Every structure is written in structure tokens, then in C-alpha cells.
Amino acid sequence: MSDHVLAFDLGTSGAKAGIVGTDGSVRASSFEPVEQILLPGGGAEQRPDDWWQAIDRAAQRTLAVAAVPRDAIAAVSVTAQWSGTVAVDETGQAIGNAITWMDSRGARHLPGITGGAVTVMGYAPWKAARWIRLTGGAPTHSGKDPLAHIHYLRHEQPELFDRAAKFLEPKDYLNARLTGRMVSTFDSIALHWVTDNRDPRAIRYDDGLIRLAGIPRDKLPDLCASTDVIGRLLPSLAERWGLRSDVVVVGGSPDVHAAAVGAGTTRNFVPHLYVGTSSWITCHVPQKLTDVLHNMAALPAAIPGRYLLLNEQESAGACLSQLRDHLFYGQDELGTAAAPADAYRRFDAIAAEAAPGSRKLIFLPWLYGERTPVEDPHLRGGFFNYQLGTTRGELVRAVLEGVAFNSRWLLGHVEKHAGGPVPELRFIGGGARSDLWCQIYADVLDRPIARVAEPMLANLRGAGLIGLIGLGRLAADDLADIVAISQRFLPRTETRAVYDELYDAFGRLHKATHGIFARLNRPNPA
């Protein structure tokens, strides 16, 4: 019996390919980087053809080194960055750059969609009520939902909008390249805010929501479940990759949903913490719910019939990247050396020499605005309480601690929906590779941190496991016992006082500065 899946994980920084077995192991994997394009006015794009070339190179390299026979691969399954938009033609080929989850240029076109004669927090009450009742949430005002992306194209690139046969999420675009079919999964389409999600096993487009969103129905793909088989792998790709002609492609899932599966957190109210470019703390819940004030909602999960409590902190690992590339390293007029390959390991080493609390230096991590637990595109970051003699180690440690303070802020609201304090958080993503950051998280959150084995491959593992569920090789209830924990980090009582003091100051700094950030960073009127 063929019991392996060729899985792909397309992130903001690049694409991974891996082969996943029924025991949850990733037998082989490889990574290909992808360029990000940041544009004035909040633009963030990538080239879909770069994605595809990275997928192809990663697949070929992984298959070449894997000990698994190629005829043991029965399916392909994809996860990818969520909340992006790719305009494609009738054949599924991209006709322009992809607009990614970081892009906020559509925000100025949302008041006409969400507002009305009477508005509350930017929403006409009857519109908000309909969105929340049917979908579980509502379009954010950050401009970072696909709904805003599509309206940006409608108003500012009308020729491309008119040419588009469909608007696809990144994961669904890759599936179209794999199968020739343009479909979206229930979880992937959710941030378009056009589906009735009240019955998680019978999610469908709602004509009234489509009219409310102002998106032509014929430019949206048909729907299926994440575990549905959507078609066979195209013969040209099967031949190129040396796979059997009967290999199928399973619907797959966005990165947040796949991560929940790959972390083994498939039981209700069992959370995981992800730290990559961005960060989140999510868990499965048994019913649809909405937290309007803190910009989170339970939307359809990758596991059929379930919901996932969704949120996102905009900048996490991105804060370290900024520190590396623009403060510590990076070629400039001073001739500073390019960052070494082990820059993050060096960061850990010097940060470990600094005392917990970094001599009360506080870092605000909102480098690109924030989504949850507060939606505010105008927030920005910085160091507070910087003093003469502050060391580079304290700068790095303050960044690690500041991101963790933001997660503590979020965790408080997640736990309100999880029935109380959670006993433990599983930790995945690139941030989990750092022993120091794992311990800082345990101390700041005052919760045990369980690092998942191979934490960088959690999304990839999740995509593979979703594929195996689609093939009938596994059941969702099996997954919690399949994913291994490599190490646990326990909170230390000796750090509690300093972190409690700094966390309180962190919250006060947000209250004191958010108005200043709004005045500084609100776009100037045309």
C-alpha cells in the first residue's frame, strides 16, 4: 500500500518540499528561498512563477535524496501562506504578481464595503451582524484580507481585475498548477467573508454575502473540503518528478490550519504557539465563535466538521530579521559585513549573557502594524528605556522578550475562549529552534512550553497528514499521539517578578503610544 505524501509548504520566505509517512515523520525535505517585494503605501507582493519554480526545485531535490521509493507516494498535499490573492486566467496561470498577507493597500476601499449611513467601529450594524452570524467574523479594516486585495485590484488595476478569470489563495493557485482545477477549500476561502460557515460540514457560498462583498461570483472558485481529493497530478508533472500516474492531489490547507495538524494539537482547546515571520496561538474549538474586540474568530478548520480559533501577531521572527539585516549586519555606506549564516545562533549566545529583563529595556514588536489582539495598522515598534551602556546582547534579548510579551497579551484572550489557563503550549516554527527563546516564552507566559520535534517542519508535516487523512490512511483522532515532543521548558519562579513588571509596562506603553503612532503613520489625504 502506498502510504506516503509529497507535501509542500509555501511560506513568505520560500517553499519547502517533504515526504511524510503515516507515522508523522518527514522522511526527507528541502527548502528554496523566494523573494518578497515590499512597495510604497503598504504593498507586499511576490511573483507566483517564483513560487512555482521553488516548488519544482524543492520537489526534485527532495525526491532525489529520499530513501522512500517514489512509487510509495500516493498523493500530493499543499499548505501555503494564507490571506493572499493571485489573479489567474482561464488556465490557472497567474496574470500578475501575488498580493500577500502583508499587503494593506486595499484598506482605503473598505469603508464603502463595511460602512453605511450609520457606523459603529467602521461597520454598518446590519452588515456586521450578517457577517458575524453567517461567517463567524467580518472583514478587517487593515486591508490585509483577500476581500481588500480584490477591491484594490478593481479600483487601482482595473485591467488586471477585468482579465482575471478567478482570484485564488496561494495554496489554491498551487493546486491549480498541480491539477488544472481551480477550487478552494472551506478553510482557505474563509477570509473572503462570503461563505455560510454555520454548519462546518456544509459550508457554501451565500449570495447575500457575495453581494455585500461586491465580488463577482464567477471570479471565485468552487469549494471543497481540505481532505477531499481534487484530482490527479498532471501527467507532465508526474513524469517530471518520477511519480506514478495515479498520484492524486488532496485539497490541503492554509499554513495556520496545517500547523495545528502538524503540531498534533487536533483536540479541542489544546493550543500551539507558532513563531516564524509572524506568530499565532491557536486551538481547535467545537463551535463557531467571534471576538470582535480582539480581532479573532473560530473559522472552518482543515479537519472536516471542526473550527479553529484564529489570530495572528504581525511581526515575530521578522523583528529578529530586522535586527540582523538593518542594525547588526547588512552592506551599507559604512561597509558593514553581510549577515553570517549563523547570525541567529550568535544572537542567542550574546542574548544569553544578558540578564532576564535586559535591564528593563523594552522592545515594542509592531514593526508592520498589528492584527491581534488589537487591529491597528498604524502601530510601530521600537526600544523603550534605552540607556548608556545598553549592550548588543540586551538589544537582542529585549527583542525576544518583547515578542513574547505580545504573545502573553494574546494568550490571555485565547484562554478566555479555551475555558481557562491552558496547562501547556506546544511550540513550532523557526523560533522554537532557539532554546533561549523557548525558555523566555515559558517564563514570560508562565506556562510550560513543549517543543515539537522538528519544529520548522510542522506545517509541512501538517500538509502531509491532511493528505493521509484524505487518502483514508489516518483519522484526525490519531494525530495527537503521532507528533513527538523533543523537549519541555518549565517556567522559572525567579524571573516572574521582573517579567510581570515589564509586561505591565508593555501594556501601558501601548495605551500611551497608539494615538501617537496613528498620527505619525496614517496616510496623508490625497
Side-chain angles (χ1 to χ4, degrees), residues 135-196:
T135 72
T140 69
H141 288 128
S142 66
K144 297 178 181 180
D145 294 346
L147 174 62
H149 299 163
I150 293 170
H151 279 284
Y152 164 77
L153 293 175
R154 177 195 286 275
H155 291 281
E156 302 187 39
Q157 297 188 42
E159 292 184 3
L160 190 148
F161 178 90
D162 291 339
R163 286 177 55 209
K166 302 288 182 189
F167 296 110
L168 300 178
E169 275 277 347
K171 184 264 299 177
D172 302 321
Y173 162 76
L174 293 177
N175 279 344
R177 295 290 301 263
L178 292 165
T179 66
R181 288 196 64 202
M182 291 183 282
V183 297
S184 182
T185 51
F186 302 143
D187 49 4
S188 183
I189 202 69
L191 295 185
H192 290 67
W193 308 110
V194 290
T195 52
D196 184 341

Short mmCIF file of all heavy atoms in Angstrom, two decimals, residues 135-196:
data_model
loop_
_atom_site.label_atom_id
_atom_site.label_comp_id
_atom_site.label_asym_id
_atom_site.label_seq_id
_atom_site.Cartn_x
_atom_site.Cartn_y
_atom_site.Cartn_z
N THR A 135 -20.59 33.99 8.97
CA THR A 135 -19.20 33.58 8.77
C THR A 135 -18.44 33.35 10.06
O THR A 135 -17.48 32.57 10.09
CB THR A 135 -18.43 34.64 7.96
OG1 THR A 135 -18.18 35.79 8.78
CG2 THR A 135 -19.19 35.05 6.71
N GLY A 136 -18.82 34.04 11.14
CA GLY A 136 -18.05 33.99 12.37
C GLY A 136 -17.15 35.18 12.56
O GLY A 136 -16.58 35.38 13.63
N GLY A 137 -16.98 35.99 11.53
CA GLY A 137 -16.13 37.17 11.62
C GLY A 137 -16.61 38.24 10.67
O GLY A 137 -17.77 38.26 10.27
N ALA A 138 -15.71 39.12 10.30
CA ALA A 138 -16.04 40.21 9.38
C ALA A 138 -14.75 40.72 8.77
O ALA A 138 -13.67 40.52 9.34
CB ALA A 138 -16.76 41.34 10.12
N PRO A 139 -14.83 41.39 7.62
CA PRO A 139 -13.60 41.93 7.01
C PRO A 139 -12.88 42.86 7.98
O PRO A 139 -13.51 43.69 8.64
CB PRO A 139 -14.13 42.71 5.79
CG PRO A 139 -15.46 42.10 5.49
CD PRO A 139 -16.04 41.68 6.81
N THR A 140 -11.57 42.69 8.08
CA THR A 140 -10.80 43.60 8.92
C THR A 140 -10.58 44.91 8.19
O THR A 140 -10.66 44.97 6.96
CB THR A 140 -9.43 42.99 9.28
OG1 THR A 140 -8.62 42.94 8.10
CG2 THR A 140 -9.58 41.60 9.85
N HIS A 141 -10.28 45.95 8.94
CA HIS A 141 -10.02 47.25 8.33
C HIS A 141 -8.55 47.46 8.00
O HIS A 141 -8.16 48.53 7.54
CB HIS A 141 -10.53 48.36 9.25
CG HIS A 141 -12.02 48.44 9.29
ND1 HIS A 141 -12.73 48.44 10.47
CD2 HIS A 141 -12.95 48.49 8.30
CE1 HIS A 141 -14.03 48.51 10.20
NE2 HIS A 141 -14.18 48.53 8.89
N SER A 142 -7.73 46.44 8.25
CA SER A 142 -6.30 46.56 7.95
C SER A 142 -6.03 46.55 6.46
O SER A 142 -4.96 46.97 6.02
CB SER A 142 -5.54 45.41 8.60
OG SER A 142 -5.92 44.18 8.01
N GLY A 143 -6.98 46.05 5.66
CA GLY A 143 -6.76 45.92 4.22
C GLY A 143 -5.98 44.69 3.84
O GLY A 143 -5.57 44.54 2.68
N LYS A 144 -5.78 43.77 4.78
CA LYS A 144 -4.93 42.60 4.52
C LYS A 144 -5.70 41.33 4.22
O LYS A 144 -5.10 40.27 4.05
CB LYS A 144 -3.98 42.40 5.71
CG LYS A 144 -3.03 43.59 5.89
CD LYS A 144 -2.12 43.45 7.07
CE LYS A 144 -1.21 44.69 7.19
NZ LYS A 144 -0.30 44.60 8.35
N ASP A 145 -7.03 41.41 4.14
CA ASP A 145 -7.83 40.27 3.72
C ASP A 145 -7.90 40.22 2.20
O ASP A 145 -7.78 41.25 1.52
CB ASP A 145 -9.27 40.39 4.24
CG ASP A 145 -9.35 40.31 5.75
OD1 ASP A 145 -8.36 39.90 6.38
OD2 ASP A 145 -10.41 40.66 6.30
N PRO A 146 -8.14 39.03 1.62
CA PRO A 146 -8.32 38.95 0.16
C PRO A 146 -9.44 39.86 -0.36
O PRO A 146 -9.35 40.36 -1.49
CB PRO A 146 -8.64 37.48 -0.07
CG PRO A 146 -7.95 36.77 1.05
CD PRO A 146 -8.09 37.68 2.23
N LEU A 147 -10.47 40.07 0.44
CA LEU A 147 -11.53 40.97 0.01
C LEU A 147 -10.96 42.35 -0.32
O LEU A 147 -11.31 42.96 -1.34
CB LEU A 147 -12.60 41.08 1.11
CG LEU A 147 -13.72 42.10 0.89
CD1 LEU A 147 -14.52 41.75 -0.36
CD2 LEU A 147 -14.62 42.17 2.12
N ALA A 148 -10.08 42.86 0.54
CA ALA A 148 -9.46 44.17 0.29
C ALA A 148 -8.51 44.10 -0.90
O ALA A 148 -8.44 45.04 -1.69
CB ALA A 148 -8.71 44.63 1.54
N HIS A 149 -7.78 42.98 -1.03
CA HIS A 149 -6.88 42.83 -2.17
C HIS A 149 -7.66 42.94 -3.48
O HIS A 149 -7.23 43.61 -4.43
CB HIS A 149 -6.18 41.47 -2.14
CG HIS A 149 -5.33 41.24 -0.94
ND1 HIS A 149 -4.91 39.98 -0.56
CD2 HIS A 149 -4.82 42.09 -0.02
CE1 HIS A 149 -4.17 40.07 0.52
NE2 HIS A 149 -4.11 41.35 0.88
N ILE A 150 -8.79 42.24 -3.54
CA ILE A 150 -9.57 42.21 -4.77
C ILE A 150 -10.12 43.60 -5.09
O ILE A 150 -10.13 44.03 -6.25
CB ILE A 150 -10.69 41.16 -4.65
CG1 ILE A 150 -10.07 39.76 -4.59
CG2 ILE A 150 -11.66 41.26 -5.83
CD1 ILE A 150 -11.05 38.66 -4.23
N HIS A 151 -10.55 44.33 -4.07
CA HIS A 151 -11.04 45.68 -4.33
C HIS A 151 -9.92 46.65 -4.68
O HIS A 151 -10.14 47.60 -5.44
CB HIS A 151 -11.86 46.19 -3.14
CG HIS A 151 -13.26 45.65 -3.15
ND1 HIS A 151 -14.23 46.14 -3.99
CD2 HIS A 151 -13.84 44.63 -2.46
CE1 HIS A 151 -15.35 45.47 -3.81
NE2 HIS A 151 -15.14 44.54 -2.89
N TYR A 152 -8.73 46.40 -4.16
CA TYR A 152 -7.57 47.18 -4.61
C TYR A 152 -7.38 46.99 -6.11
O TYR A 152 -7.19 47.96 -6.86
CB TYR A 152 -6.32 46.77 -3.84
CG TYR A 152 -5.04 47.24 -4.49
CD1 TYR A 152 -4.63 48.56 -4.38
CD2 TYR A 152 -4.27 46.35 -5.24
CE1 TYR A 152 -3.46 49.00 -5.00
CE2 TYR A 152 -3.11 46.77 -5.85
CZ TYR A 152 -2.71 48.09 -5.73
OH TYR A 152 -1.56 48.52 -6.36
N LEU A 153 -7.43 45.74 -6.56
CA LEU A 153 -7.27 45.48 -7.99
C LEU A 153 -8.42 46.08 -8.80
O LEU A 153 -8.20 46.66 -9.88
CB LEU A 153 -7.20 43.97 -8.24
CG LEU A 153 -5.96 43.26 -7.68
CD1 LEU A 153 -6.07 41.75 -7.89
CD2 LEU A 153 -4.68 43.79 -8.33
N ARG A 154 -9.62 45.98 -8.29
CA ARG A 154 -10.78 46.53 -9.01
C ARG A 154 -10.61 48.03 -9.25
O ARG A 154 -10.88 48.54 -10.34
CB ARG A 154 -12.06 46.27 -8.22
CG ARG A 154 -13.31 46.88 -8.88
CD ARG A 154 -14.48 46.92 -7.91
NE ARG A 154 -15.06 45.62 -7.69
CZ ARG A 154 -16.00 45.06 -8.46
NH1 ARG A 154 -16.45 45.71 -9.53
NH2 ARG A 154 -16.49 43.89 -8.17
N HIS A 155 -10.15 48.75 -8.21
CA HIS A 155 -10.09 50.21 -8.30
C HIS A 155 -8.78 50.72 -8.88
O HIS A 155 -8.76 51.79 -9.52
CB HIS A 155 -10.30 50.82 -6.92
CG HIS A 155 -11.69 50.65 -6.40
ND1 HIS A 155 -12.75 51.43 -6.81
CD2 HIS A 155 -12.21 49.76 -5.50
CE1 HIS A 155 -13.85 51.05 -6.19
NE2 HIS A 155 -13.56 50.04 -5.39
N GLU A 156 -7.67 50.00 -8.65
CA GLU A 156 -6.37 50.57 -9.00
C GLU A 156 -5.63 49.80 -10.08
O GLU A 156 -4.64 50.30 -10.61
CB GLU A 156 -5.53 50.69 -7.72
CG GLU A 156 -6.25 51.57 -6.68
CD GLU A 156 -5.41 51.87 -5.46
OE1 GLU A 156 -4.20 52.09 -5.63
OE2 GLU A 156 -5.98 51.91 -4.36
N GLN A 157 -6.08 48.61 -10.40
CA GLN A 157 -5.55 47.87 -11.55
C GLN A 157 -6.73 47.25 -12.29
O GLN A 157 -6.85 46.03 -12.41
CB GLN A 157 -4.56 46.79 -11.11
CG GLN A 157 -3.31 47.34 -10.41
CD GLN A 157 -2.27 46.26 -10.16
OE1 GLN A 157 -2.01 45.43 -11.01
NE2 GLN A 157 -1.68 46.29 -8.98
N PRO A 158 -7.65 48.10 -12.80
CA PRO A 158 -8.90 47.58 -13.36
C PRO A 158 -8.71 46.66 -14.56
O PRO A 158 -9.51 45.73 -14.76
CB PRO A 158 -9.67 48.85 -13.74
CG PRO A 158 -8.63 49.92 -13.85
CD PRO A 158 -7.59 49.57 -12.84
N GLU A 159 -7.67 46.87 -15.35
CA GLU A 159 -7.46 45.98 -16.50
C GLU A 159 -7.14 44.56 -16.03
O GLU A 159 -7.64 43.59 -16.60
CB GLU A 159 -6.34 46.53 -17.39
CG GLU A 159 -6.70 47.83 -18.11
CD GLU A 159 -5.59 48.28 -19.05
OE1 GLU A 159 -4.57 47.56 -19.16
OE2 GLU A 159 -5.74 49.36 -19.64
N LEU A 160 -6.31 44.45 -15.00
CA LEU A 160 -5.99 43.14 -14.46
C LEU A 160 -7.23 42.51 -13.82
O LEU A 160 -7.49 41.31 -13.99
CB LEU A 160 -4.85 43.25 -13.44
CG LEU A 160 -4.23 41.93 -12.96
CD1 LEU A 160 -2.76 42.13 -12.64
CD2 LEU A 160 -4.95 41.40 -11.72
N PHE A 161 -8.00 43.31 -13.11
CA PHE A 161 -9.24 42.81 -12.50
C PHE A 161 -10.16 42.24 -13.57
O PHE A 161 -10.72 41.14 -13.42
CB PHE A 161 -9.94 43.93 -11.73
CG PHE A 161 -11.25 43.52 -11.11
CD1 PHE A 161 -11.28 43.00 -9.82
CD2 PHE A 161 -12.44 43.64 -11.80
CE1 PHE A 161 -12.49 42.61 -9.24
CE2 PHE A 161 -13.64 43.26 -11.23
CZ PHE A 161 -13.67 42.75 -9.95
N ASP A 162 -10.34 42.96 -14.65
CA ASP A 162 -11.25 42.51 -15.70
C ASP A 162 -10.74 41.25 -16.39
O ASP A 162 -11.52 40.38 -16.79
CB ASP A 162 -11.45 43.62 -16.74
CG ASP A 162 -12.24 44.81 -16.19
OD1 ASP A 162 -12.95 44.62 -15.18
OD2 ASP A 162 -12.12 45.91 -16.76
N ARG A 163 -9.42 41.13 -16.55
CA ARG A 163 -8.84 39.96 -17.21
C ARG A 163 -8.91 38.70 -16.37
O ARG A 163 -8.88 37.59 -16.89
CB ARG A 163 -7.37 40.22 -17.57
CG ARG A 163 -7.14 41.16 -18.75
CD ARG A 163 -5.65 41.38 -18.92
NE ARG A 163 -4.93 40.12 -19.06
CZ ARG A 163 -3.66 39.93 -18.70
NH1 ARG A 163 -2.97 40.93 -18.14
NH2 ARG A 163 -3.08 38.76 -18.88
N ALA A 164 -8.98 38.87 -15.05
CA ALA A 164 -8.91 37.72 -14.14
C ALA A 164 -10.13 36.82 -14.32
O ALA A 164 -11.27 37.27 -14.22
CB ALA A 164 -8.81 38.19 -12.70
N ALA A 165 -9.86 35.54 -14.55
CA ALA A 165 -10.95 34.55 -14.56
C ALA A 165 -11.32 34.17 -13.14
O ALA A 165 -12.51 33.98 -12.83
CB ALA A 165 -10.53 33.31 -15.35
N LYS A 166 -10.32 34.05 -12.27
CA LYS A 166 -10.55 33.72 -10.86
C LYS A 166 -9.53 34.46 -10.00
O LYS A 166 -8.44 34.82 -10.45
CB LYS A 166 -10.37 32.20 -10.60
CG LYS A 166 -11.26 31.28 -11.40
CD LYS A 166 -12.71 31.32 -10.95
CE LYS A 166 -13.54 30.34 -11.77
NZ LYS A 166 -15.00 30.51 -11.49
N PHE A 167 -9.90 34.65 -8.74
CA PHE A 167 -8.96 35.10 -7.72
C PHE A 167 -8.75 33.92 -6.77
O PHE A 167 -9.71 33.41 -6.19
CB PHE A 167 -9.51 36.31 -6.97
CG PHE A 167 -9.66 37.53 -7.83
CD1 PHE A 167 -10.92 38.00 -8.18
CD2 PHE A 167 -8.55 38.20 -8.31
CE1 PHE A 167 -11.07 39.13 -8.98
CE2 PHE A 167 -8.69 39.32 -9.12
CZ PHE A 167 -9.95 39.79 -9.45
N LEU A 168 -7.50 33.50 -6.61
CA LEU A 168 -7.19 32.31 -5.84
C LEU A 168 -6.26 32.64 -4.67
O LEU A 168 -5.38 33.51 -4.79
CB LEU A 168 -6.51 31.25 -6.72
CG LEU A 168 -7.29 30.73 -7.93
CD1 LEU A 168 -6.43 29.73 -8.70
CD2 LEU A 168 -8.60 30.09 -7.50
N GLU A 169 -6.45 31.94 -3.56
CA GLU A 169 -5.48 31.95 -2.48
C GLU A 169 -4.18 31.29 -2.98
O GLU A 169 -4.21 30.49 -3.92
CB GLU A 169 -6.03 31.17 -1.28
CG GLU A 169 -6.92 31.96 -0.36
CD GLU A 169 -6.13 32.78 0.65
OE1 GLU A 169 -4.91 32.55 0.80
OE2 GLU A 169 -6.74 33.66 1.30
N PRO A 170 -3.03 31.60 -2.36
CA PRO A 170 -1.77 30.99 -2.81
C PRO A 170 -1.82 29.46 -2.86
O PRO A 170 -1.36 28.86 -3.84
CB PRO A 170 -0.76 31.49 -1.76
CG PRO A 170 -1.29 32.83 -1.37
CD PRO A 170 -2.78 32.66 -1.35
N LYS A 171 -2.38 28.83 -1.83
CA LYS A 171 -2.46 27.36 -1.83
C LYS A 171 -3.30 26.85 -2.98
O LYS A 171 -2.96 25.86 -3.65
CB LYS A 171 -3.02 26.90 -0.48
CG LYS A 171 -3.06 25.39 -0.28
CD LYS A 171 -4.40 24.78 -0.61
CE LYS A 171 -5.53 25.32 0.24
NZ LYS A 171 -6.82 24.74 -0.18
N ASP A 172 -4.40 27.54 -3.26
CA ASP A 172 -5.30 27.11 -4.32
C ASP A 172 -4.70 27.37 -5.71
O ASP A 172 -4.96 26.62 -6.66
CB ASP A 172 -6.65 27.80 -4.16
CG ASP A 172 -7.27 27.50 -2.81
OD1 ASP A 172 -7.15 26.36 -2.35
OD2 ASP A 172 -7.85 28.42 -2.20
N TYR A 173 -3.88 28.41 -5.81
CA TYR A 173 -3.14 28.64 -7.06
C TYR A 173 -2.18 27.48 -7.33
O TYR A 173 -2.11 26.97 -8.46
CB TYR A 173 -2.38 29.96 -6.98
CG TYR A 173 -1.27 30.07 -8.00
CD1 TYR A 173 -1.55 30.32 -9.34
CD2 TYR A 173 0.06 29.89 -7.61
CE1 TYR A 173 -0.51 30.40 -10.28
CE2 TYR A 173 1.09 29.98 -8.54
CZ TYR A 173 0.80 30.22 -9.87
OH TYR A 173 1.81 30.29 -10.79
N LEU A 174 -1.45 27.03 -6.31
CA LEU A 174 -0.53 25.91 -6.50
C LEU A 174 -1.29 24.64 -6.88
O LEU A 174 -0.84 23.87 -7.73
CB LEU A 174 0.30 25.70 -5.24
CG LEU A 174 1.28 26.82 -4.89
CD1 LEU A 174 2.00 26.51 -3.60
CD2 LEU A 174 2.29 27.03 -6.02
N ASN A 175 -2.45 24.42 -6.26
CA ASN A 175 -3.25 23.25 -6.62
C ASN A 175 -3.70 23.32 -8.08
O ASN A 175 -3.78 22.30 -8.77
CB ASN A 175 -4.48 23.13 -5.72
CG ASN A 175 -4.15 22.48 -4.39
OD1 ASN A 175 -3.10 21.86 -4.23
ND2 ASN A 175 -5.04 22.62 -3.42
N ALA A 176 -4.02 24.53 -8.56
CA ALA A 176 -4.39 24.68 -9.97
C ALA A 176 -3.22 24.33 -10.88
O ALA A 176 -3.42 23.71 -11.94
CB ALA A 176 -4.86 26.11 -10.24
N ARG A 177 -2.00 24.69 -10.48
CA ARG A 177 -0.83 24.32 -11.27
C ARG A 177 -0.57 22.82 -11.21
O ARG A 177 -0.01 22.24 -12.15
CB ARG A 177 0.41 25.09 -10.77
CG ARG A 177 0.37 26.60 -10.95
CD ARG A 177 0.47 27.02 -12.40
NE ARG A 177 1.69 26.58 -13.05
CZ ARG A 177 2.78 27.32 -13.20
NH1 ARG A 177 2.80 28.57 -12.73
NH2 ARG A 177 3.84 26.86 -13.83
N LEU A 178 -0.97 22.18 -10.11
CA LEU A 178 -0.74 20.74 -9.96
C LEU A 178 -1.77 19.89 -10.70
O LEU A 178 -1.45 18.79 -11.17
CB LEU A 178 -0.75 20.37 -8.47
CG LEU A 178 0.41 20.89 -7.62
CD1 LEU A 178 0.08 20.76 -6.14
CD2 LEU A 178 1.70 20.13 -7.95
N THR A 179 -3.02 20.39 -10.78
CA THR A 179 -4.11 19.56 -11.30
C THR A 179 -4.83 20.12 -12.50
O THR A 179 -5.54 19.40 -13.20
CB THR A 179 -5.18 19.34 -10.21
OG1 THR A 179 -5.80 20.61 -9.91
CG2 THR A 179 -4.58 18.75 -8.95
N GLY A 180 -4.70 21.43 -12.73
CA GLY A 180 -5.50 22.08 -13.76
C GLY A 180 -6.88 22.49 -13.28
O GLY A 180 -7.65 23.07 -14.05
N ARG A 181 -7.23 22.22 -12.02
CA ARG A 181 -8.54 22.58 -11.46
C ARG A 181 -8.41 23.78 -10.53
O ARG A 181 -7.49 23.84 -9.70
CB ARG A 181 -9.15 21.42 -10.67
CG ARG A 181 -9.65 20.25 -11.50
CD ARG A 181 -10.55 19.38 -10.66
NE ARG A 181 -11.74 20.09 -10.23
CZ ARG A 181 -12.49 19.74 -9.18
NH1 ARG A 181 -12.14 18.72 -8.41
NH2 ARG A 181 -13.56 20.43 -8.87
N MET A 182 -9.34 24.72 -10.65
CA MET A 182 -9.34 25.90 -9.80
C MET A 182 -10.45 25.76 -8.76
O MET A 182 -11.63 25.98 -9.05
CB MET A 182 -9.53 27.16 -10.64
CG MET A 182 -8.33 27.46 -11.52
SD MET A 182 -8.46 29.00 -12.47
CE MET A 182 -9.54 28.48 -13.80
N VAL A 183 -10.07 25.32 -7.57
CA VAL A 183 -11.01 25.15 -6.46
C VAL A 183 -10.38 25.74 -5.21
O VAL A 183 -9.17 25.96 -5.14
CB VAL A 183 -11.36 23.66 -6.21
CG1 VAL A 183 -12.07 23.06 -7.42
CG2 VAL A 183 -10.11 22.85 -5.88
N SER A 184 -11.21 25.99 -4.20
CA SER A 184 -10.74 26.46 -2.91
C SER A 184 -11.33 25.57 -1.83
O SER A 184 -12.43 25.04 -1.98
CB SER A 184 -11.14 27.91 -2.67
OG SER A 184 -10.65 28.37 -1.42
N THR A 185 -10.58 25.41 -0.75
CA THR A 185 -11.11 24.65 0.38
C THR A 185 -11.87 25.57 1.33
O THR A 185 -11.70 26.79 1.32
CB THR A 185 -9.97 23.94 1.12
OG1 THR A 185 -8.94 24.90 1.43
CG2 THR A 185 -9.38 22.83 0.27
N PHE A 186 -12.72 24.96 2.15
CA PHE A 186 -13.58 25.73 3.06
C PHE A 186 -12.75 26.63 3.97
O PHE A 186 -13.16 27.76 4.28
CB PHE A 186 -14.43 24.79 3.92
CG PHE A 186 -15.31 23.86 3.15
CD1 PHE A 186 -15.52 22.56 3.60
CD2 PHE A 186 -15.95 24.28 2.00
CE1 PHE A 186 -16.35 21.69 2.90
CE2 PHE A 186 -16.78 23.42 1.29
CZ PHE A 186 -16.98 22.12 1.75
N ASP A 187 -11.61 26.14 4.44
CA ASP A 187 -10.77 26.94 5.34
C ASP A 187 -10.05 28.05 4.58
O ASP A 187 -9.92 29.17 5.06
CB ASP A 187 -9.78 26.06 6.10
CG ASP A 187 -9.01 25.10 5.20
OD1 ASP A 187 -9.17 25.15 3.97
OD2 ASP A 187 -8.24 24.28 5.74
N SER A 188 -9.62 27.75 3.37
CA SER A 188 -8.86 28.72 2.59
C SER A 188 -9.69 29.94 2.19
O SER A 188 -9.22 31.07 2.22
CB SER A 188 -8.31 28.03 1.33
OG SER A 188 -7.50 28.89 0.57
N ILE A 189 -10.95 29.72 1.84
CA ILE A 189 -11.80 30.80 1.34
C ILE A 189 -12.34 31.70 2.44
O ILE A 189 -12.88 32.78 2.17
CB ILE A 189 -12.99 30.21 0.53
CG1 ILE A 189 -13.57 31.25 -0.45
CG2 ILE A 189 -14.06 29.66 1.46
CD1 ILE A 189 -12.68 31.62 -1.58
N ALA A 190 -12.17 31.31 3.69
CA ALA A 190 -12.90 31.96 4.79
C ALA A 190 -12.67 33.46 4.87
O ALA A 190 -13.59 34.22 5.20
CB ALA A 190 -12.53 31.30 6.12
N LEU A 191 -11.43 33.93 4.58
CA LEU A 191 -11.13 35.36 4.76
C LEU A 191 -11.64 36.22 3.62
O LEU A 191 -11.40 37.43 3.59
CB LEU A 191 -9.64 35.57 4.96
CG LEU A 191 -9.07 34.97 6.25
CD1 LEU A 191 -7.60 35.33 6.41
CD2 LEU A 191 -9.86 35.39 7.47
N HIS A 192 -12.37 35.61 2.68
CA HIS A 192 -13.11 36.41 1.70
C HIS A 192 -14.45 36.88 2.28
O HIS A 192 -15.10 37.76 1.71
CB HIS A 192 -13.36 35.61 0.42
CG HIS A 192 -12.13 35.34 -0.38
ND1 HIS A 192 -11.11 34.52 0.05
CD2 HIS A 192 -11.76 35.77 -1.62
CE1 HIS A 192 -10.17 34.46 -0.87
NE2 HIS A 192 -10.52 35.22 -1.89
N TRP A 193 -14.90 36.23 3.36
CA TRP A 193 -16.12 36.61 4.08
C TRP A 193 -17.37 36.49 3.20
O TRP A 193 -18.24 37.34 3.24
CB TRP A 193 -16.00 38.01 4.67
CG TRP A 193 -14.75 38.17 5.49
CD1 TRP A 193 -13.65 38.90 5.17
CD2 TRP A 193 -14.45 37.52 6.74
NE1 TRP A 193 -12.69 38.77 6.14
CE2 TRP A 193 -13.15 37.93 7.11
CE3 TRP A 193 -15.15 36.65 7.58
CZ2 TRP A 193 -12.54 37.50 8.30
CZ3 TRP A 193 -14.53 36.22 8.75
CH2 TRP A 193 -13.26 36.65 9.10
N VAL A 194 -17.43 35.41 2.44
CA VAL A 194 -18.57 35.21 1.53
C VAL A 194 -19.21 33.83 1.69
O VAL A 194 -20.05 33.45 0.87
CB VAL A 194 -18.14 35.42 0.05
CG1 VAL A 194 -17.84 36.88 -0.23
CG2 VAL A 194 -16.96 34.52 -0.32
N THR A 195 -18.85 33.09 2.74
CA THR A 195 -19.38 31.74 2.93
C THR A 195 -20.19 31.64 4.21
O THR A 195 -19.88 32.27 5.23
CB THR A 195 -18.26 30.69 2.97
OG1 THR A 195 -17.26 31.08 3.93
CG2 THR A 195 -17.63 30.53 1.61
N ASP A 196 -21.22 30.82 4.17
CA ASP A 196 -22.03 30.48 5.34
C ASP A 196 -21.32 29.34 6.07
O ASP A 196 -21.28 28.21 5.58
CB ASP A 196 -23.43 30.07 4.89
CG ASP A 196 -24.37 29.81 6.07
OD1 ASP A 196 -23.88 29.59 7.20
OD2 ASP A 196 -25.59 29.80 5.85
#
